[in-house]
Amino acid sequence: MAYEKTESHDEYLKAVEQYEDYEAGTYQSMTLEEKMDFFDGVHTNHIPLFDEDGDDLETSDDYYAIRDAFLEHPEQFTLNHILDFMKMLDDECYQPSFMETIIKIIHNIVCYYQLEGVTYLFSHLREVPSRGYEYGMFWNVRYLIKDDSVYPLVKEALTQINSNDSEFVLQILEGTNMSAILGIDGETRKFPLLSECGDEIEMKRKAELEDVVSRLISK
């Protein structure tokens, strides 16, 4: 799980050769963990979707079938699977839509488990790998803020987690000193600011959450 990304073209061609005889539908006999492994393997170029000429391989149909099942059936996952998906995140992934899909899967799992799901996510944001800070922290929190159905649970979840975790959520919302907190080079990896990209509703909710956390900390 959570492969290192393959950068070499020669390595990619070896992967193409390895999967030349792959048969579409193989995923149906895979375990959930094997499907997740396959899913991550595609994102990191260990499992190719196209041959050297750009034509689809049989892996392509299976990848999209797995992706759709992951998005549509969050009930197949436990909360701990959120950590597995977090490990797949890579801010520099060559295909941003892959990472956006992972964030949607995490969000759907969180929503399926309702308050327990939001609380779990907030309690594990520090476990996002360094290569996936932007997607794993900023976008996970932003998805919660934007979702009308789950936002009321966000405020409640902040009262359920420990003070260190609630302060960390506050730091993500503010964003201004996250580079120093995370030990990343602010010149090359600026942490996103919701104030620079959020709409009016997001900004209102951001302020509400900052107020909730501030009051909790002052108690």
Side-chain angles (χ1 to χ4, degrees):
M1 191 68 67
Y3 293 109
E4 290 300 319
K5 184 167 52 180
T6 296
E7 304 283 3
S8 165
H9 183 61
D10 288 341
E11 288 296 319
Y12 185 80
L13 292 182
K14 288 179 182 178
V16 169
E17 184 178 350
Q18 180 183 352
Y19 282 90
E20 279 181 339
D21 297 326
Y22 184 91
E23 295 184 6
T26 299
Y27 80 96
Q28 297 180 43
S29 61
M30 294 180 185
T31 65
L32 178 58
E33 284 67 28
E34 288 171 339
K35 291 175 184 176
M36 293 177 69
D37 222 29
F38 185 97
F39 187 70
D40 187 41
V42 168
H43 299 166
T44 53
N45 276 337
H46 288 269
I47 299 176
L49 297 182
F50 314 101
D51 64 19
E52 190 175 8
D53 298 322
D55 296 325
D56 286 354
L57 295 171
E58 297 294 334
T59 52
S60 182
D61 286 345
D62 279 15
Y63 170 75
Y64 290 110
I66 290 171
R67 180 202 65 181
D68 292 347
F70 282 2
L71 286 167
E72 295 167 9
H73 297 285
E75 71 277 3
Q76 66 188 300
F77 300 110
T78 67
L79 285 172
N80 288 335
H81 281 118
I82 289 175
L83 299 182
D84 294 322
F85 284 113
M86 279 183 173
K87 292 175 183 176
M88 299 180 191
L89 294 169
D90 181 358
D91 295 338
E92 298 181 357
C93 179
Y94 70 96
Q95 182 57 267
S97 65
F98 287 161
M99 299 299 103
E100 292 165 10
T101 295
I102 293 175
I103 294 302
K104 290 176 183 176
I105 292 169
I106 292 173
H107 184 73
N108 290 352
I109 298 171
V110 168
C111 291
Y112 176 76
Y113 285 97
Q114 293 290 289
L115 178 60
E116 186 182 6
V118 179
T119 302
Y120 184 93
L121 180 63
F122 280 166
S123 300
H124 292 84
L125 286 172
R126 294 179 188 273
E127 297 178 47
V128 173
S130 60
R131 66 177 179 272
Y133 282 148
E134 180 174 340
Y135 283 111
M137 294 179 184
F138 178 78
W139 283 101
N140 268 325
V141 172
R142 190 179 184 191
Y143 265 52
L144 293 176
I145 291 175
K146 289 171 66 70
D147 190 328
D148 293 342
S149 65
V150 78
Y151 176 69
L153 300 177
V154 173
K155 290 187 282 188
E156 186 175 354
L158 288 171
T159 69
Q160 303 293 317
I161 59 179
N162 66 50
S163 58
N164 287 336
D165 290 334
S166 60
E167 285 184 45
F168 194 61
V169 173
L170 177 61
Q171 290 163 345
I172 293 172
L173 290 168
E174 294 176 338
T176 51
N177 61 343
M178 284 299 288
S179 295
I181 291 169
L182 299 174
I184 57 179
D185 184 349
E187 295 298 318
T188 58
R189 293 193 63 190
K190 181 182 177 183
F191 196 82
L193 299 178
L194 191 57
S195 56
E196 294 180 350
C197 59
D199 59 26
E200 184 177 347
I201 293 177
E202 289 175 84
M203 296 310 299
K204 178 182 177 182
R205 291 176 177 178
K206 171 182 179 291
E208 288 176 347
L209 296 179
E210 289 173 343
D211 182 61
V212 169
V213 177
S214 297
R215 284 189 283 107
L216 288 170
I217 293 174
S218 64
K219 286 184 178 180

